[in-house]
Amino acid sequence: MSVAVGSKPSQSEDLRNLTLSGHVGFDSLPDQLVNKSTTQGFCFNILCVGETGIGKSTLMDTLFNTKFEGDPASHNEPGVRLKAQSYELQESNVRLKLTTVDTVGFGDQINKEDSYKPIVEYIDAQFEAYLQEELKIKRSLFNYHDSRIHACLYFIAPTGHSLKSLDLVTMKKLDSKVNIIPIIAKADTIAKNELHKFKSKIMSELVSNGVQIYQFPTDEETVAEINATMSVHLPFAVVGSTEEVKIGNKMAKARQYPWGVVQVENENHCDFVKLREMLIRVNMEDLREQTHSRHYELYRRCKLEEMGFKDTDPDCKPFSLQETYEAKRNEFLGELQKKEEEMRQMFVMRVKEKETELKEAEKELHEKFDRLKKTHQDEKKKLEDKKKEIEDEVGAFSKKKAAVQLLQAQQAGSQSTKKDKDKKKFLPFLKHPKTWRPLLTL
Amino acid sequence: MAEPQSKPDPDPEPKTEATVTGQDLFGYVGIESVLDQMKRKAVKTGFEFNIMVVGQSGLGKSTLVNTLFKSKVSRKSCNPSFEEGISKTVNLQSISHVIEEKGVKMKLTVIDTPGFGDQINNLNCWEPIMKYINEQYEKYLKEEININRKRKIPDTRVHCCVYFVPPTGHCLRPLDLEFMKRLGKVVSVVPVIAKSDTLTLDERQRFKERIRQDLWTNGIKVYPQKEYDEDAEDRILNDKIREKIPFAVVGTDKEHQVNGKNVLGRKTNWGVIEVENVAHCEFANLRDLLIRSHLQDLKDVTHNIHYETYRVRRLNESNLNGIGLSASPLASMNGTAVRKESESNL
């Protein structure tokens, strides 16, 4: 049976706007969508970057109206490390899984060149974890605990002059990875007129250095206005406090000084309310979306390209991930095989070497054995010769002994015959004229 | 775990006056405004919904879809001059419209399947449909594993397949069983009894019971599936629905006067069948299920379960063969890396 799948109309052509003749009911769709998320809960992760003692933990406590656990950090940290803590907050029927990440030891070292590195590594690690989950075969993205940083609050020290170079360098490294919201910490140390100058100096420095901070979205009518007015006050000058002071007849979060009381939630005193407004009440969802659709996509693109995947090759013929992967895989397998071959050859060579070594050793041993044997034989022979000599001598000696004994016996038996014997002995001499002469000359 | 006291503020956005007046803001942080933010964003991006209607010709598929969305969304209405003959093949045709209600925009795509079950030999007539569904998954998967991918991947996957059962009054036919069995695995199937104004209430009840029996005997899972109920609340709600499926529906786009009111109905010599009257037929139930309460759920089940199943199958396939898509470079590389390590221990 032949199959003809009907043509799917392209987006721009056949899309018509129809009017409904009655109430259908899909206007409840946003509610349906939101209900789903409510049951699952939301994730929100804030990273606080700033020097030790600048008020990061206090500000978090003030923002979320609660006391997060944790002790103040010491100033003796050898390097920057990131400490993450998760909390579950609930307000009416909304559950928020909040994670605050603190940079412990930032700005404390003498050499701060590498201070930004642990922060960048942490952010990248969160993206990597999400990417790994997304690339898995069996994945469960819908109940994955999102640990990617949605907002980075950068705490600027209230010097009153300008940004420190450490701040500039760190912000420049972070601006393509996370939504940066710069805030001026401990703003109660700056007078109002200085504050305005400080703010404009900071903003101009950020612009001139090309640091991209988070832009509050102005494309939606409902929030465009409020976002636009708030953007003017960037960076927000905040004061944090969890202590309450009696003002009038109410308790308010404030800091008490001998010369007055700084109210945290008074907009004349500091911009805390604006920060809370922007961060939580108006743009939380946008922050999450930007993290996912901009920063994470950028990371993903770079990471995949780094691994050698391409979408299109220089001639603009679309490569599919498949082909690239195929090629890479073959390359990889080829390399693997080559390495295997190499190893095998090396192994064979080693075996051969060992064999020759062993053979040589064997030969040596044989030679040694032969030598020793020969020496042994020589010695043995010598010994035998000596033995023979000795035996000969012994034999000679015993003969002589026997002869002497015989002689003695003869002498004792016949003394008389001695002269004869002598004569006999001499006679030959006498008879022989030759032997005479020496005698005569006597 | 810290929990702030929750004092729901009736006006979530505090006045931007200079001083703090009257309201007690200590306990309230404003986290719940994220719900509004999400709604606004969702409304701004708009929704997409793709519905497929399957059934023999003459069962009233196009009419029902028109009734559901109260506008002429079906193929027939778009090509009125088209002569409707029995087509020799199963043609899938999809028409898209944008409809708006109270600021919520929805891109609705209706996929029609004329020719299904109309031949003498209907063997494998579900194949073009399965192919189409899988093609949509494939398209989505390809876009998802692209390096430079779009922010919002266009979603053409079939979210819901409405299967029209002819009102025989007996039980499901082999074609119905075959089709629902196969398609129940890849898409959410919602069976409905078409043209149910030919059945009396008793007949209807018995027919439904037999259908449910048949479905259960054959292991066919229709929407809402029991396994995907997330919590007790969902289960209670879905159990109620499961007791009533398949819905017996009647469709029409004509209005008549009943008791002085204008209602959608079919006029016959023996009375007017009011489509939206739950005493007459279960159209309202179907509409509520599909649109008012479970539309997002249908999309979620398609995305989280059917699409993921397809993806797993596809990626495993390509890993085994070494061809085709392989979007799990890390996983596969991990696999080969492990192999390399084990081989180095020669």
Side-chain angles (χ1 to χ4, degrees):
Chain A
M1 177 162 53
S2 65
V3 167
V5 179
S7 60
K8 293 161 229 359
S10 67
Q11 297 248 348
S12 45
E13 293 171 14
D14 236 315
L15 271 190
R16 317 163 204 201
N17 284 307
L18 294 179
T19 44
L20 302 170
S21 55
H23 177 67
V24 178
F26 61 85
D27 55 339
S28 63
L29 262 179
D31 290 317
Q32 291 181 33
L33 180 67
V34 160
N35 281 341
K36 260 271 138 75
S37 316
T38 318
T39 42
Q40 282 177 345
F42 298 89
C43 279
F44 196 60
N45 309 315
I46 304 184
L47 168 71
C48 295
V49 183
E51 297 165 356
T52 316
I54 208 167
K56 304 187 282 287
S57 313
T58 315
L59 187 69
M60 283 293 113
D61 290 350
T62 324
L63 260 177
F64 291 99
N65 265 334
T66 176
K67 183 87 182 72
F68 295 126
E69 308 129 23
D71 313 303
S74 78
H75 287 260
N76 295 330
E77 297 279 336
V80 179
R81 87 192 145 81
L82 282 97
K83 191 168 72 155
Q85 282 170 310
S86 294
Y87 310 95
E88 262 203 36
L89 306 177
Q90 177 143 2
E91 190 170 84
S92 52
N93 60 342
V94 179
R95 279 183 300 126
L96 181 74
K97 292 190 198 102
L98 176 74
T99 306
T100 50
V101 186
D102 212 350
T103 49
V104 178
F106 188 77
D108 275 337
Q109 295 77 36
I110 295 178
N111 181 2
K112 293 181 256 207
E113 270 179 359
D114 294 336
S115 290
Y116 69 87
K117 283 197 189 141
I119 306 177
V120 171
E121 273 167 18
Y122 181 83
I123 298 176
D124 279 345
Q126 307 315 306
F127 282 147
E128 183 67 30
Y130 191 86
L131 183 66
Q132 295 254 5
E133 182 67 31
E134 196 185 21
L135 288 178
K136 270 196 205 158
I137 296 188
K138 262 195 159 59
R139 62 187 187 181
S140 56
L141 272 182
F142 52 91
N143 52 12
Y144 175 77
H145 176 67
D146 193 1
S147 59
R148 301 173 291 184
I149 304 288
H150 299 125
C152 171
L153 291 177
Y154 197 93
F155 288 69
I156 300 171
T159 56
H161 302 315
S162 60
L163 283 173
K164 298 188 190 161
S165 44
L166 172 67
D167 293 340
L168 274 171
V169 164
T170 313
M171 279 207 261
K172 194 91 183 79
K173 294 276 178 201
L174 292 178
D175 70 350
S176 58
K177 294 196 181 284
V178 77
N179 302 313
I180 299 185
I181 302 176
I183 57 179
I184 301 172
K186 297 199 172 177
D188 48 349
T189 52
I190 310 185
K192 215 155 179 176
N193 49 349
E194 289 174 354
L195 186 63
H196 188 70
K197 247 193 331 186
F198 189 34
K199 280 192 186 182
S200 36
K201 188 87 206 302
I202 292 178
M203 291 310 280
S204 62
E205 274 199 343
L206 288 176
V207 165
S208 61
N209 280 289
V211 175
Q212 290 182 334
I213 56 172
Y214 175 68
Q215 301 294 328
F216 297 118
T218 45
D219 45 3
E220 223 182 302
E221 318 85 44
T222 35
V223 293
E225 208 189 295
I226 188 170
N227 277 339
T229 43
M230 293 294 188
S231 307
V232 170
H233 295 268
L234 275 176
F236 296 124
V238 295
V239 174
S241 169
T242 44
E243 284 158 6
E244 291 185 357
V245 170
K246 203 169 170 77
I247 302 175
N249 56 350
K250 281 193 307 125
M251 298 296 280
K253 284 199 282 258
R255 287 175 66 76
Q256 180 144 53
Y257 292 107
W259 48 89
V261 178
V262 179
Q263 293 164 33
V264 169
E265 274 160 350
N266 187 336
E267 289 206 43
N268 271 341
H269 292 195
C270 74
D271 294 333
F272 173 80
V273 175
K274 293 197 181 74
L275 174 68
R276 183 176 58 192
E277 198 60 24
M278 287 290 101
L279 189 63
I280 302 176
R281 295 188 191 171
V282 178
N283 296 311
M284 195 191 253
E285 184 57 28
D286 187 64
L287 283 163
R288 281 157 39 113
E289 210 226 298
Q290 291 274 356
T291 309
H292 179 72
S293 56
R294 217 160 56 124
H295 301 295
Y296 169 71
E297 286 295 314
L298 182 65
Y299 175 82
R300 178 178 177 271
R301 204 178 312 148
C302 294
K303 195 71 202 293
L304 289 181
E305 272 172 11
E306 204 180 278
M307 297 205 300
F309 295 95
K310 293 192 290 244
D311 268 348
T312 55
D313 70 351
D315 302 294
C316 282
K317 274 186 302 207
F319 252 127
S320 62
L321 206 62
Q322 146 208 353
E323 285 172 34
T324 327
Y325 179 67
E326 244 329 278
K328 246 205 157 219
R329 195 163 186 253
N330 288 338
E331 195 190 305
F332 190 70
L333 285 175
E335 262 185 50
L336 206 68
Q337 274 178 346
K338 234 191 334 186
K339 281 216 176 120
E340 226 183 286
E341 261 312 300
E342 258 176 64
M343 280 183 158
R344 202 171 285 144
Q345 277 181 5
M346 212 162 70
F347 179 69
V348 166
M349 214 169 63
R350 284 253 181 89
V351 164
K352 270 202 194 128
E353 271 177 36
K354 258 288 151 106
E355 262 186 37
T356 45
E357 254 177 67
L358 283 173
K359 269 206 184 115
E360 275 190 29
E362 202 185 335
K363 213 165 95 184
E364 255 188 59
L365 276 175
H366 274 301
E367 274 178 26
K368 204 170 175 189
F369 179 67
D370 285 338
R371 251 184 297 137
L372 280 175
K373 197 168 171 190
K374 198 166 157 225
T375 333
H376 180 246
Q377 277 182 346
D378 285 346
E379 295 245 320
K380 199 171 175 187
K381 201 166 155 213
K382 266 193 210 157
L383 276 173
E384 293 218 336
D385 287 345
K386 275 219 171 130
K387 195 174 174 190
K388 207 169 156 203
E389 249 178 68
I390 288 184
E391 275 182 10
D392 287 347
E393 277 188 18
V394 164
F397 180 69
S398 50
K399 262 191 204 151
K400 269 198 186 157
K401 192 176 176 193
V404 167
Q405 278 180 347
L406 195 64
L407 199 62
Q408 277 183 349
Q410 276 182 351
Q411 276 186 343
S414 54
Q415 209 52 315
S416 55
T417 52
K418 191 182 177 189
K419 278 185 184 167
D420 283 356
K421 260 213 168 174
D422 283 340
K423 267 187 189 167
K424 264 193 188 166
K425 263 190 169 176
F426 273 105
L427 223 58
F429 282 111
L430 286 169
K431 276 191 183 153
H432 206 290
K434 266 202 173 165
T435 56
W436 254 60
R437 267 185 228 137
L439 274 174
L440 281 177
T441 57
L442 266 171
Chain B
M1 296 299 173
E3 271 188 40
Q5 325 136 350
S6 52
K7 288 201 176 172
D9 192 357
D11 177 16
E13 292 191 2
K15 318 172 189 59
T16 51
E17 286 165 15
T19 52
V20 171
T21 53
Q23 302 157 320
D24 189 18
L25 289 173
F26 299 134
Y28 182 69
V29 179
I31 300 173
E32 61 178 12
S33 59
V34 73
L35 295 178
D36 285 326
Q37 296 171 29
M38 277 188 79
K39 277 192 209 166
R40 278 201 308 265
K41 241 191 204 338
V43 167
K44 193 168 140 224
T45 40
F47 296 89
E48 285 174 316
F49 190 59
N50 308 318
I51 184 169
M52 179 189 266
V53 283
V54 183
Q56 285 176 302
S57 51
L59 281 180
K61 305 188 289 289
S62 308
T63 319
L64 185 73
V65 172
N66 283 350
T67 323
L68 263 177
F69 292 101
K70 293 238 169 51
S71 57
K72 301 207 184 301
V73 286
S74 73
R75 175 189 49 94
K76 278 205 184 132
S77 324
C78 299
N79 302 328
S81 57
F82 185 74
E83 267 296 308
E84 196 62 24
I86 301 277
S87 53
K88 292 212 168 48
T89 61
V90 180
N91 270 326
L92 280 110
Q93 287 164 0
S94 71
I95 308 277
S96 294
H97 303 279
V98 173
I99 44 182
E100 186 183 330
E101 192 175 55
K102 292 205 182 131
V104 178
K105 280 207 177 90
M106 182 155 86
K107 175 163 167 269
L108 175 73
T109 307
V110 178
I111 302 140
D112 207 346
T113 55
F116 176 83
D118 285 339
Q119 275 73 40
I120 296 177
N121 182 4
N122 285 316
L123 202 62
N124 296 336
C125 64
W126 48 80
E127 268 176 24
I129 300 175
M130 301 245 340
K131 185 159 167 254
Y132 177 83
I133 294 176
N134 284 333
E135 267 171 19
Q136 306 315 304
Y137 287 145
E138 183 73 22
K139 235 202 291 187
Y140 193 87
L141 181 64
K142 271 216 164 77
E143 183 61 38
E144 195 189 24
I145 64 175
N146 243 352
I147 296 187
N148 284 317
R149 57 189 184 184
K150 304 196 183 102
R151 220 172 242 219
K152 189 161 170 359
I153 305 174
D155 192 359
T156 50
R157 302 171 291 186
V158 178
H159 299 130
C160 172
C161 175
V162 183
Y163 187 75
F164 286 73
V165 176
T168 58
H170 299 162
C171 58
L172 286 175
R173 302 164 305 157
L175 175 64
D176 303 332
L177 288 170
E178 262 311 306
F179 181 84
M180 284 203 269
K181 197 189 296 190
R182 282 157 195 273
L183 255 76
K185 299 194 182 118
V186 293
V187 77
S188 300
V189 176
V190 178
V192 296
I193 302 173
K195 294 199 166 172
S196 60
D197 46 344
T198 54
L199 296 168
T200 63
L201 287 180
D202 277 338
E203 285 168 357
R204 186 200 288 176
Q205 196 56 32
R206 266 178 291 152
F207 189 28
K208 282 212 244 183
E209 272 167 31
R210 261 198 289 265
I211 291 181
R212 281 199 287 270
Q213 182 70 31
D214 280 343
L215 290 176
W216 189 77
T217 325
N218 284 283
I220 299 175
K221 303 238 160 40
V222 294
Y223 184 83
Q225 296 97 330
K226 236 189 201 129
E227 303 86 52
Y228 309 142
D229 283 342
E230 280 172 19
D231 51 23
E233 223 177 83
D234 271 353
R235 203 168 306 133
I236 298 174
L237 191 66
N238 288 343
D239 276 344
K240 277 204 215 129
I241 297 170
R242 280 188 278 265
E243 278 164 29
K244 292 226 189 96
I245 52 164
F247 293 119
V249 296
V250 176
T252 181
D253 45 7
K254 297 200 175 48
E255 284 187 353
H256 301 277
Q257 286 272 354
V258 172
N259 295 340
K261 276 197 309 163
N262 243 353
V263 287
L264 274 176
R266 283 170 65 76
K267 184 152 190 222
T268 60
N269 285 341
W270 48 92
V272 176
I273 305 160
E274 289 166 47
V275 165
E276 278 171 339
N277 189 336
V278 271
H280 291 199
C281 77
E282 291 172 336
F283 170 79
N285 294 347
L286 178 70
R287 181 197 53 204
D288 287 344
L289 174 74
L290 280 188
I291 301 176
R292 291 189 189 171
S293 58
H294 284 70
L295 202 151
Q296 186 60 36
D297 190 52
L298 278 163
K299 289 174 64 166
D300 284 341
V301 165
T302 310
H303 180 69
N304 292 335
I305 296 166
H306 295 300
Y307 170 69
E308 290 293 319
T309 317
Y310 176 80
R311 184 174 173 273
V312 167
R313 192 163 49 96
R314 192 83 175 81
L315 296 181
N316 275 332
E317 224 170 62
S318 68
N319 265 348
L320 286 174
N321 302 342
I323 49 164
L325 279 171
S326 188
S328 56
L330 293 170
S332 304
M333 283 198 175
N334 284 337
T336 46
V338 164
R339 223 180 40 190
K340 181 185 174 187
E341 275 176 31
S342 62
E343 279 169 340
S344 68
N345 297 332
L346 270 172

